[in-house]
Structures are given as C-alpha cells and as structure tokens.
Amino acid sequence: MSGYFLSEDELLLKNTVQDFADSEIAPRAAGYDESGEFPFDNFKGMSDLGLLGLTIDEEYGGSGGTFRQLAVAVEEIARACAATSTSYIAHLSLCAQFIHMWGTEGQKRQFLPTLANGEHIGAFALTEPGSGSDAGAMRTTATRSNGSYLLNGSKTFITNAPEASVFVVLATHDRNLKTRGIDALIMEGDSEGLSVNPLKGKMGMRASSIAEVVFEDCAVSEENRMGAEGEGFRETMQVLNSSRISIAAQCVGIAQAAYEAAVSHVKQREPFGQKLAELQAIQWMIADMATQIDAARLLVMRVASMRDAGMPFVKEASMAKLFASRVAVEAADKSVQMHGGSGYLAPTPAERYYRDAKVTEILRNTALVIARVSCEMG
Amino acid sequence: MSQLRVLVGCKRVIDYAVKVRVKPDKTGVVKEGVKHSMNPFDEIALEEAVRLKEKQVASEVIAVSCGPQACQETLRTALAMGADRALHVEVSGSEYEGLLPLGVAKILAALVKKEEANLVVLGKQAIDDDCNQTGQMLAALLDWPQATFASAVSVEGEGLAVTREVDGGLENVRLSLPAVVTADLRLNEPRYATLPNIMKSKKKPLAQMTPGDLGVDINPSLTVLSVEDPPVREAGSKVEDVDQLIAKLKDSGVF
Ligand SMILES: Cc1cc2nc3c(=O)[nH]c(=O)nc-3n(C[C@H](O)[C@H](O)[C@H](O)COP(=O)(O)OP(=O)(O)OC[C@H]3O[C@@H](n4cnc5c(N)ncnc54)[C@H](O)[C@@H]3O)c2cc1C
C-alpha cells in the first residue's frame, strides 16, 4: 500500500512496526483505554525495537534514525493505540529531542541513553494553567541562588508526568524580559519540591497519563540549563516545530485506524438486504477518507524529508499538522457514522478513535503559525 | 564441536492476514497488489538459526529465497533479523508458477554444496501451498538425517537433539550432522527486527543467481489443472430444543 515513496528500509521498518503494533499493541488498546493505566509493556516493546530513541544519535544510545522513519513508526503505533503514541511523542519528540537538540555534551551523555532505552520516561513541561497557546506568558519562575535556580509555579496538562524521571521544564528568570527571559532546564522526577498531581477524566488518549506539576522552591543546578540564559523559548519553538511531524504522523495513524474499521464494517453490515459497501453514498465517504488520509500522509512525508535534508520546514510542519489533525477528526467522525449505533459504544473501536482524534486539533494549534509564517514570507 | 554453517529457507508468501482470492481463470490465486511477507514457519527457522549463532554454535547464517525479484524484500527482512548474508535464486514468471518442492530442494541441495553448509533449517511448510515436502526431499537428495516438525533443538555432542511434534505427542530424536531440520510453530517466537538492524541490513551482502548457474533443472513434473475456491458453507438454522434437533438430524439422514 502506497509503498512506492518509501525506501526499502523504510518499507521494512513500516512492516516490522505494523506487525509488532498489530500483534502486541492493538490487542491491549481497549483495555488500556478503559483502565487508564500507563502502557509500560508497549514502551518495553518499542524500546526493544529501537523506537524509543529513534531520532537520537547512536552515540547517545539512540537508533540514529531519520524523521521519515520516525513518521513511519509513529503512524503505525498510533494506528494501534493512539494513547501510546501520545506518550511516545512526549517522551521522544518533546523531552529527549529537546535534550538532543539543545543539551550540552555532558547533558546528552547523562540523560539520553536511559531515555532512548526506556529505562527512564521523559516529560516536557511548558503549558501552565494560565498559558497554553500563549506559552511565552508563563509564570513559573526560576530564581538564581548560588549556582542553582529555585523554581516556583505550576505546569499543567503534562503528558507522562506521573511516570517521568526526566522533565524538560520551561521557566522565566525575569518576566519583564518576556520570551527572552525564559530558560530550559532539565529536572529529575525525584527533585525535592517537585510534586505531580495526576489529572483524571480525559476524553481520549486515556492510557497516556497527564498531570499538573507543581514546583515549590525546587532547586535545580545551573548546569542543567540547556543553551544560554534566555534562550529557552527560542529553543522550545524549534522543538515544537519538529514535534509537529510526529503529531501529524499520529493523526494519520488514527485516521487510518478509523478508516480500516469503517471499511471492515461496511463490508459485512447488510441493512435492507444490501451491504453498506454497495451503497454509493457510503462508497463516496470511503473514497474521500482514503484520499484525505493519503494526502495527509504525503504532507507528513514531505516535511519529514525536508527536516532530514536540513531545509527550513516550519511552514510545512504546521501545514501537515493542521491538515492531518482535521483529517483524523473527520475520519473518526465518519467512521462512527458508518458504524451506526455500534460505533457509539465500546467494544467497537470507532468511539475510541473519535475521542482520541479530537485532542490532535487542540495540541499546539497551528493555524496561527501558518498565518504568521505565510505573512512573514509574504 | 565444529562450528555450523546454517542455511535457512525464507519463502515469500502472501501475508497470513490477507483474504486470498482465486483468479477468475482458475490458474491460481491473485498475488498482484497483495501484501506479502516471510513464511511464518521460515521466520521461526531463521530465529532458531540466529539463536544458534548467538550461542556461538553457528558461525554463519545464510538466508535463501527462490522466486521473483520481490523475494529480495523478504531477504532484507531476514538480514535485519540476524542472517549474515543472503542468496536470491531468481525464478520468475511461469517458471515460478511451476516451481515445486522438488525444484526448491534441488536448488537448496546445490547451495548446500556450494556454501559447504552443514545444517539446513527450513519451515515445516509454507502457508501458501502447504506442501510440507521441501525439507524431506532435501534430506533425501543430500542423504542427510532429518528432523521434521521440530519444537526444540539443542546441540548434543557432535550432533543435535531435537524434539518433534508428532500426532501422539512429542518424540525426542538425536541426529548426527550434517542434517536437515524443519521448524514447527512452537519452536520459538521470532524476534522483530530492530531499527538499527534494519539499517545495518542494507550493508549485508545479497548475492543473486539463477537455477541454471547452480546447474539445477527445475522443470516441473506436475501441472496444475485448476485452482478452486473451497465450497461455500451453507447457512445453518437454529432449533428450539433437542427433539427438534434429533428430528432434523433424522430428516437429513445423519442419525
Ligand atoms: C492530552 C493533552 C496532552 C498535553 N500534553 C502536554 C505536554 O506534555 N506538555 C505541555 O506543555 N502541554 C501539554 N498539553 C497542553 C496543550 O499543549 C495545550 O492545551 C494547548 O497548547 C492549548 O492551550 P490551552 O489549553 O491553554 O488553550 P488556550 O490557549 O486557552 O486556547 C483555547 C482555544 O483558543 C484558540 N486560540 C488561542 N489563542 C488564539 C489566537 N491568538 N487566535 C486564534 N485562536 C486562538 C486555541 O487554538 C484553542 O482552540 C496537553 C494537552 C492535552 C489536552
């Protein structure tokens, strides 16, 4: 299927991850959705395949893979269990990738090998109760005191926080400097003054844990700062740009799963003595879904190729994310529709895809970025 | 004991999850545009060979596939799973349609001699034609001992100890080397290729040849007349109670 634009090793990776995800991850997805437990066994399997450190260089214990390979892997994981892919993205594309891009040699050697092999789980703490899209308005402060920073404030909606041993945290040392006052710090999960309050009641992505993270005079050494003082926000923007490739690939995976469930349903359901698949109205929907999903996949692979080639990719990443998240939500919606009543209830997976898909339109909304970048580029 | 050079058969077959369809002209099944993968029993055979290498019992694992160009994809998978090198014996078109277990066994026998292999591990059968003959024929051609349907293999002295799954239970056999072993389902659980190994597999050697290069004649001794769909099962009907069931069975002459 659409393999022609993948290289031989990408195709082999796709088949391998698909086999793994189909036989190990997918059968557990509904159970994890119901229990909301963290999918440690999925992480273990992904670690064995070398996926947890996919884009991390081999010298830091990663697989030294490309962003195209990452897109292929994320799509297949998300197709089997979107929640697992959310935790995977927070772990690799936000936390580990941040350290990989901006950490010092020492920080990379200290933190990346155990993130790449899954011994440690990573989280990325940017959002606050009062600042989401407008992340630069953060209030968590990092006050200098003899070679350390003292953190005070709170972060919220932090994926993986309950399990994480490594946090990349953004905080400001001077709010007057606005985004120029923000620093990126690596914190360990057991730091004194750091507490995690799990949040319950998520609509979807339930197996991917989420929490509030509170800092009370939490000390972190200056040595744990990534990059120069005041550079944290600029660094964050670049990491977020890269992470959109993963999120967009995740959207394609969810859409593909919703599509496959719909196709298998309409092929066997026979109301009024005729298979749904034989009705033209249904065929139109299926054809539309398939086309949209493939278009989204092409946008993802385009931006991944650009990232791999070292070209500027900000606009293309935002476009891929924007388009793919719409496709995911629409495909999940159509899939529930075609399932009829059975689509509204578990154990049919359609309702889970629907709940899981929605968040992709919320995470790092990118319409704005596209508008801004397009205007700048005139 | 002397180190083993292991030859492993890796057949490219239609993926087990695909719903197979018979071609309208009944000459075979539809293969175009259909997902293919390595025969699952061959994956098990390969896994066993790779484990022998990891235990330093085997010095080299060589994966072989006979068939069209696309078999090289299957061989790349084998290399990513741990084979050291791969041999592709190209057989395509109508020649491949007519390739039977005897032809494959002859090719393997020639390769065993060429490569000086002293152990061949194959799947007990391929999930497409379900022949379950290649391993046995190969052992006969080479005049080597064979242990088919293996569910456990270990090295014992200068030979192998193999547990075979037979109808009545398990049979333990000991065989001298060189030998042919065919893998059953429970022999092991094959690993997934890791991303770093997928990337390394690109650098491993893959040699291409034809049956002619090996001096093997694969002319089939058998012609397929037609391939048919299995009969469609008729819908069942529900009965209210045991009496009705017995009456129905009597009506249909079963009882
Ligand atoms: C499941 C989940 C996991 C998450 N994981 C993480 C994590 O690991 N780390 C982390 O730091 N954060 C995480 N978040 C937070 C997430 O990134 C934010 O929720 C997101 O950035 C939106 O911010 P907000 O919730 O404050 O919404 P707001 O910023 O208040 O936005 C509300 C709505 O208004 C729109 N909007 C905002 N500003 C504008 C504007 N200028 N023009 C037009 N529309 C606008 C937004 O698109 C949105 O639709 C997670 C959230 C969820 C739900």
Side-chain angles (χ1 to χ4, degrees):
Chain A
M1 185 261 316
S2 351
Y4 74 92
F5 67 99
L6 296 182
S7 69
E8 195 179 31
D9 52 312
E10 287 162 355
L11 202 58
L12 183 46
L13 177 70
K14 186 180 177 73
N15 290 336
T16 305
V17 180
Q18 192 173 77
D19 271 359
F20 159 72
D22 279 351
S23 48
E24 317 255 328
I25 294 187
R28 302 195 275 250
Y32 276 131
D33 178 61
E34 206 178 323
S35 71
E37 280 168 39
F38 189 86
F40 284 107
D41 44 7
N42 293 345
F43 261 54
K44 167 78 176 67
M46 288 157 68
S47 156
D48 290 345
L49 266 72
L51 304 181
L52 285 188
L54 196 150
T55 49
I56 306 300
D57 288 348
E58 280 173 292
E59 55 178 317
Y60 307 116
S63 297
T66 63
F67 277 77
R68 283 176 62 93
Q69 290 170 334
L70 177 66
V72 164
V74 169
E75 179 187 333
E76 293 306 327
I77 300 294
R79 176 175 157 273
C81 174
T84 298
S85 71
T86 294
S87 282
Y88 176 38
I89 292 169
H91 172 86
L92 172 60
S93 295
L94 292 169
C95 178
Q97 189 68 39
F98 203 118
I99 300 172
H100 195 238
M101 281 168 72
W102 303 111
T104 61
E105 187 60 26
Q107 289 164 346
K108 290 197 257 190
R109 296 214 175 276
Q110 185 182 351
F111 294 104
L112 290 177
T114 46
L115 287 170
N117 70 14
E119 194 180 311
H120 289 157
I121 289 175
F124 169 74
L126 172 68
T127 306
E128 297 185 0
S131 60
S133 313
D134 183 13
M138 69 180 63
R139 287 165 183 275
T140 298
T141 51
T143 320
R144 268 182 196 264
S145 87
N146 350 304
S148 287
Y149 288 104
L150 276 186
L151 262 73
N152 279 289
S154 65
K155 298 285 174 181
T156 194
F157 302 147
I158 308 308
T159 297
N160 294 351
E163 290 76 24
S165 319
V166 179
F167 289 79
V168 169
V169 179
L170 283 303
T172 169
H173 63 266
D174 184 352
R175 290 196 67 210
N176 293 324
L177 293 175
K178 306 214 164 118
T179 56
R180 283 278 161 198
I182 293 172
D183 305 319
L185 304 163
I186 308 174
M187 316 264 305
E188 294 183 57
D190 55 6
S191 306
E192 205 167 316
L194 184 160
S195 53
V196 173
N197 309 316
L199 299 168
K200 295 272 173 242
K202 260 207 286 177
M203 178 197 282
M205 304 287 189
R206 287 186 185 155
S208 162
S209 57
I210 193 165
E212 180 189 41
V213 181
V214 180
F215 305 98
E216 285 167 305
D217 286 334
C218 177
V220 53
S221 161
E222 258 183 64
E223 282 177 12
N224 280 21
R225 191 186 64 227
M226 288 179 279
E229 198 168 64
E231 286 295 297
F233 192 75
R234 193 182 60 84
E235 293 164 2
T236 299
M237 289 304 119
Q238 297 209 26
V239 173
L240 291 179
N241 285 335
S242 272
S243 77
R244 289 194 178 106
I245 301 174
S246 306
I247 299 177
Q250 170 187 49
C251 296
V252 175
I254 299 173
Q256 180 71 28
Y259 166 78
E260 286 172 19
V263 168
S264 96
H265 180 78
V266 300
K267 275 186 177 164
Q268 42 118 343
R269 182 80 177 162
E270 286 187 61
F272 307 106
Q274 194 183 16
K275 289 210 166 100
L276 284 175
E278 287 157 16
L279 303 174
Q280 206 171 45
I282 298 286
Q283 290 168 355
W284 276 115
M285 269 204 263
I286 294 284
D288 246 11
M289 271 167 107
T291 310
Q292 297 263 342
I293 295 167
D294 233 24
R297 187 178 286 123
L298 285 171
L299 284 180
V300 174
M301 293 315 279
R302 176 182 71 162
V303 62
S305 303
M306 293 173 81
R307 173 77 166 77
D308 286 332
M311 297 162 73
F313 65 96
V314 176
K315 187 165 80 175
E316 290 76 9
S318 295
M319 284 176 165
K321 151 72 174 64
L322 177 68
F323 185 74
S325 60
R326 279 186 193 150
V327 168
V329 170
E330 227 168 87
D333 180 27
K334 293 270 168 34
S335 184
V336 171
Q337 191 66 42
M338 282 186 254
H339 275 83
S342 71
Y344 198 73
L345 271 75
T348 307
E351 63 88 30
R352 171 161 51 87
Y353 302 145
Y354 186 78
R355 290 183 286 106
D356 287 347
K358 183 59 204 176
V359 77
T360 64
E361 285 192 321
I362 293 168
L363 294 172
R364 307 278 140 228
N365 195 340
T366 53
L368 238 104
V369 178
I370 296 179
R372 203 171 60 210
V373 176
S374 311
C375 292
E376 277 169 11
M377 289 178 174
Chain B
M1 70 174 300
S2 57
Q3 293 230 311
L4 295 173
R5 286 162 72 83
V6 191
L7 206 67
V8 181
C10 298
K11 186 177 184 183
R12 178 175 183 268
V13 298
I14 293 180
D15 189 79
Y16 73 93
V18 170
K19 204 165 164 249
V20 174
R21 283 179 299 133
V22 171
K23 280 197 232 168
D25 65 5
K26 300 194 172 178
T27 54
V29 299
V30 178
K31 292 184 178 167
E32 293 73 32
V34 165
K35 186 180 174 195
H36 282 66
S37 47
M38 193 192 303
N39 175 37
F41 291 109
D42 293 351
E43 276 187 354
I44 298 171
L46 177 65
E47 174 68 32
E48 199 62 20
V50 173
R51 288 185 192 185
L52 289 175
K53 168 129 197 231
E54 284 167 350
K55 286 185 209 143
Q56 294 175 354
V57 174
S59 58
E60 194 175 31
V61 176
I62 308 164
V64 184
S65 195
C66 309
Q69 189 67 21
C71 289
Q72 294 194 7
E73 265 173 41
T74 311
L75 288 172
R76 285 284 166 215
T77 308
L79 293 170
M81 283 175 68
D84 297 297
R85 55 195 178 90
L87 307 174
H88 174 213
V89 183
E90 189 160 6
V91 183
S92 48
S94 60
E95 234 188 359
Y96 184 57
E97 294 296 323
L99 185 63
L100 295 167
L102 185 57
V104 177
K106 284 184 190 166
I107 293 173
L108 292 176
L111 286 174
V112 160
K113 290 187 183 131
K114 182 164 178 273
E115 300 292 340
E116 294 175 2
N118 46 9
L119 176 64
V120 180
V121 190
L122 304 176
K124 70 167 177 180
Q125 67 194 64
I127 61 166
D128 51 0
D129 56 23
D130 279 340
C131 282
N132 189 339
Q133 295 168 359
T134 308
Q136 294 87 328
M137 288 175 168
L138 175 63
L141 290 174
L142 294 168
D143 198 19
W144 284 6
Q146 58 179 298
T148 51
F149 312 114
S151 65
V153 174
S154 59
V155 175
E156 215 180 82
E158 292 290 305
L160 294 178
V162 177
T163 304
R164 303 183 59 232
E165 299 206 349
V166 294
D167 282 350
L170 299 176
E171 183 183 70
N172 295 312
V173 296
R174 203 169 303 140
L175 46 161
S176 56
L177 287 163
V180 176
V181 173
T182 74
D184 212 324
L185 189 64
R186 279 162 286 268
L187 179 56
N188 60 48
E189 260 187 62
R191 71 195 64 193
Y192 296 103
T194 68
L195 176 57
N197 285 340
I198 286 175
M199 297 203 280
K200 279 183 208 130
S201 74
K202 277 196 293 193
K203 297 187 193 95
K204 291 184 178 176
L206 192 160
Q208 228 178 321
M209 62 202 78
T210 63
D213 297 338
L214 298 167
V216 174
D217 170 17
I218 54 167
N219 266 339
S221 51
L222 217 129
T223 319
V224 174
L225 299 180
S226 88
V227 175
E228 308 275 342
D229 267 313
V232 182
R233 250 182 78 186
E234 282 175 36
S237 61
K238 278 190 181 162
V239 291
E240 296 293 328
D241 51 33
V242 177
D243 291 342
Q244 224 184 41
L245 175 67
I246 290 172
K248 279 236 173 202
L249 289 173
K250 278 190 173 147
D251 281 352
S252 60
V254 181
F255 215 49

